[in-house]
Each structure stands twice: as structure tokens, then as C-alpha cells.
Amino acid sequence: MTTTSLPDAGGHFGPYGGRYVPEVLMSPLEELEQAYAAARVDPAFDQELRALLHHYAGRPTPLYFASRLSESLKGAHIWLKREDLLHTGAHKINNCLGQILLARRMGKQRIIAETGAGQHGVATATVCALFGMQCVVYMGQRLNVFRMRLLGAQVVGVSSGSRTLKDAISEAMRDWVTNVEGTHYLLGSVLGAHPYPMMVRDFHKVIGEETRAQSLAQIGRLPDTILACVGGGSNAIGIFHAFVDAPIKLIGVEAGGRGLKLGEHAARFSGGSPGVLQGTFSYLLQDEDGQIGLTHSVSAGLDYPSIGPEHAWLHDRQRCEYVSMSDSGALAAAKTLARTEGIIPALESAHAVAEAIRRAPSEPGKIYVVNVSGRGDKDIDIYRENMPELDAL
């Protein structure tokens, strides 16, 4: 049964998605929708994007058997999809290359973006440098600021609200409203108004397509379970998409933070409810008065109060299981993966690794694939802060 594919004409996956934006943004969104509809069937566009993904970004990324980790757990066999080995250190480059080609196609020379943990900002600054475009990145935290500036980007700190990804998106949207003519908003996840959730997914679906082919070639069959962390949801939907019609488990791991109280976590399916935020209708964390709730995660890339609309539809149709993992569980998993495989994952990815570690002992012989969506370089200071026993000389 096909559970997910193209949204309807209004940009809805089931009841979720849509286009809830000010009137001034309707025209650029329609322009983007038309440009993407033409590009996705243009062989020249596809050929150029595939060449950049291969020769510039470093695709295909390996599917790696974590033998020592698997042996230590004496359960499921854990394989890692190594998106952390891509140029800029995360899956974000896939979408940025696709959107920068679209921006050029539309004649846009100024690019704006938002970023939480900084990886999308770095990837955006990278492709803007590659194509010689002006780049402005809005962000609430200082992670990766120097890298973006070295690449020529203007980095604008966000001082409003809780200074998280949500607030960075709000600032980017304010910029777009006042500069729609020559500016493209390079949104970094499967969020926002149509066509962004569909378009960003399509630029990331290469992750799952590669994983499916590599599984058949290296393992001889499809995996039993695929796990990925879920903030906005781009890396997860990217690897899930090729497997939606296959009889395997899909598990999205949200940020469980440090507790169940609103403001202590970012698990939208554990206490959230449907509502509209920043252009789309999906599950979101809100208080009794309908105000957007504060969030927390040790990982800046997972603390968004809403989730991509396609994930909401997968959840309601029970095609994907969404669970949450605590800060402490993610930190412990990162240390375990580093000690057994010599791989330091991004804190976002560590949440998915932690869930695989938790489940593996009870499913001996099963095949797990974990999407390691980014590398941990950007998080070293956070690891140091939370692992003081390793930082003493």
C-alpha cells in the first residue's frame, strides 16, 4: 500500500501541510512551486544535481557494518548510513545543492537561510560560495559561526524569543517578506509552506535510495528496521521514503530532553497536538492557551516545537513509530559509538544510535540501519561540557 507520495494540489499530506503564510509570500511560493515542478522533470537539472552530489558532496555515502558495536550488544546487527562523511559533515548539503540550482534557475542572487545547530547554515554558505551568491544566515546559537563567515556568509544573530531554530526561521521569514523579489529562502528541513516539505524530501530521498541498493548488494536483503533522529525531519524522511512501501519498521527518534514537562523536551508526538506554525499544519508543542511551547534538547538541531507534515501523516497512519530519547541516553550512545567504532556522531544522530542500542539486545539476528546524519565535530564543546571526566588533564 502506498502510504506517502506527492501531496495534493494544496500541499497536504492527508490533513497536514498546506500554505499558511502572509499574502506577500504567496507569489514567491507559487513561483518556487512552478520552478520546482519544471526542474524535477528536466533531465539537465537532474544530471547537474547528480554530478554535484557525486563529485562535490561525496555521494554515495557508505553503508557500514558496525561490527564491534553489534558484537557488544549481542543482538541485532547494526549498520550505519554514513551521511556524516559528506562534504560539510551532514546530510544538509543534499538539499542545499538542489535548492541553489533552483535559485539560479529562478534568477535569484541573494540567499537567506535559518540554522539551529549550524550544519544547514554551513551547507548553505558552502553552496553560495560555490555559485557566487550572497548569503545571509539567521541563527540563535553560535555553533559554526566562524565556518559560515569564512565561507563568505553574513551571520545574523537572533536575539528574540528563546533563540532557537523556531526564532531563526521567524527572522528569515521576516527578511523574505521584505526582500521577495531577488531573494530565495533556502529552508533547511521538511517544514514550512508547500512546496518546501515535498521539495526538501525529494532532495534528500537519495539517502534511502542508496541505502536500499546498498542493503541488497551488501547484506543480500532489505533491513528489518531503519532508525533516524527527527527534528524537523529531513534526514529521517530522506532515508524512510524509499522504504515506505516495504514491510520493514521505520522508527523516528525525537528529543526526549530531560523530562516530560512542557519546556523540558521536543517530542511532538509525546504531548503535542495539531496546529499551525510557520506556514504549515502539523503536530506541535503548545500550552493550554495554544501558545507555542518552549523546547529543550542537548542537541540544537532537534529542539524545534513542530515536525514536518509528512511525518505527521506517517504517524497517524501508523506507518512509522515515533519514540523519544533523553539527553543522557544520546550522550551515552555517542560515547559508546566512539569507543566501539571510532565514530563520533552529531548529537542529533546520537539519539537514533541510542534507540538502536536500546532495542538491539532484544532482537538477535535482525538487521538495523541507523542514519548517522551528521558528524560530531560541531558538538565537541557540548560533549566536553557533559563529559567533564574526559576533559581533565
Side-chain angles (χ1 to χ4, degrees), residues 263-285:
E264 297 292 299
H265 65 90
R268 288 63 50 97
F269 294 122
S270 299
S273 56
V276 173
L277 178 64
Q278 295 176 328
T280 196
F281 179 70
S282 187
Y283 278 79
L284 58 90
L285 293 168

Side-chain angles (χ1 to χ4, degrees), residues 60-61 63 81 206-223 242-243:
T61 58
L63 182 64
K81 182 57 173 165
V206 63
I207 306 171
E209 290 169 350
E210 285 180 7
T211 302
R212 187 168 184 132
Q214 290 167 328
S215 297
L216 293 173
Q218 296 175 229
I219 306 170
R221 66 179 181 87
L222 296 182
F243 296 94

Side-chain angles (χ1 to χ4, degrees), residues 18-290:
R19 188 177 284 167
Y20 300 87
V21 295
E23 186 64 30
V24 68
L25 290 182
M26 291 299 289
S27 179
L29 283 168
E30 289 168 355
E31 178 190 15
L32 178 61
E33 182 181 12
Q34 292 167 8
Y36 179 59
R40 69 184 303 179
V41 296
D42 182 349
F45 181 90
D46 182 68
Q47 183 178 7
E48 185 173 12
L49 177 56
R50 288 180 181 274
L52 285 166
L53 289 171
H54 178 62
H55 296 291
Y56 186 73
R59 303 212 71 92
T61 58
L63 182 64
Y64 167 73
F65 177 46
S67 59
R68 291 195 65 235
L69 176 62
S70 299
E71 175 58 29
S72 71
L73 298 171
K74 301 190 184 307
H77 298 169
I78 298 177
W79 292 70
L80 308 176
K81 182 57 173 165
R82 299 292 309 278
E83 295 295 288
D84 58 310
L85 295 178
L86 284 171
H87 181 42
T88 72
H91 71 292
K92 295 294 187 179
I93 193 71
N94 303 322
N95 170 53
C96 288
L97 285 170
Q99 286 202 50
I100 204 74
L101 292 178
L102 272 179
R104 185 187 66 183
R105 191 181 183 100
M106 292 185 292
K108 311 292 185 181
Q109 283 296 315
R110 181 175 181 269
I111 304 298
I112 59 173
E114 85 301 326
T115 194
Q119 285 302 97
H120 175 61
V122 169
T124 301
T126 297
V127 299
C128 286
L130 179 64
F131 282 81
M133 295 186 184
Q134 182 184 356
C135 179
V136 180
V137 179
Y138 292 90
M139 68 183 306
Q141 303 192 25
R142 291 192 57 81
L143 298 169
N144 285 299
V145 170
F146 181 81
R147 291 176 70 192
M148 285 181 266
R149 288 178 175 161
L150 180 62
L151 289 159
Q154 177 188 354
V155 182
V156 180
V158 175
S159 57
S160 61
S162 54
R163 298 182 63 183
T164 60
L165 178 60
K166 172 180 69 70
D167 306 296
I169 291 176
S170 294
E171 290 299 320
M173 291 183 72
R174 289 188 187 99
D175 183 317
W176 200 20
V177 165
T178 56
N179 298 283
V180 294
E181 185 65 29
T183 296
H184 172 65
Y185 179 15
L186 206 161
L187 183 60
S189 195
V190 286
L191 301 168
H194 178 66
Y196 281 106
M198 171 188 67
M199 182 177 69
V200 176
R201 178 206 65 193
D202 286 352
F203 288 141
H204 281 306
K205 68 182 182 179
V206 63
I207 306 171
E209 290 169 350
E210 285 180 7
T211 302
R212 187 168 184 132
Q214 290 167 328
S215 297
L216 293 173
Q218 296 175 229
I219 306 170
R221 66 179 181 87
L222 296 182
D224 299 292
T225 302
I226 293 180
L227 303 98
C229 65
V230 184
S234 62
N235 93 89
I237 210 70
I239 195 169
F240 290 165
H241 186 67
F243 296 94
V244 165
D245 292 333
I248 64 175
K249 292 181 183 177
L250 304 177
I251 299 173
V253 187
E254 299 184 283
R258 56 194 174 209
L260 300 175
K261 185 179 177 182
L262 185 64
E264 297 292 299
H265 65 90
R268 288 63 50 97
F269 294 122
S270 299
S273 56
V276 173
L277 178 64
Q278 295 176 328
T280 196
F281 179 70
S282 187
Y283 278 79
L284 58 90
L285 293 168
Q286 50 192 325
D287 63 21
E288 295 176 353
D289 297 320

Side-chain angles (χ1 to χ4, degrees), residues 362-393:
S362 65
E363 295 194 293
K366 296 290 187 180
I367 302 295
Y368 290 3
V369 170
V370 181
N371 195 20
V372 182
S373 55
R375 64 175 182 243
D377 303 33
K378 68 180 178 62
D379 296 317
I380 288 300
D381 286 343
I382 301 175
Y383 283 134
R384 289 179 63 187
E385 180 183 341
N386 286 275
M387 302 176 186
E389 73 280 4
L390 302 181
D391 198 33
L393 290 176

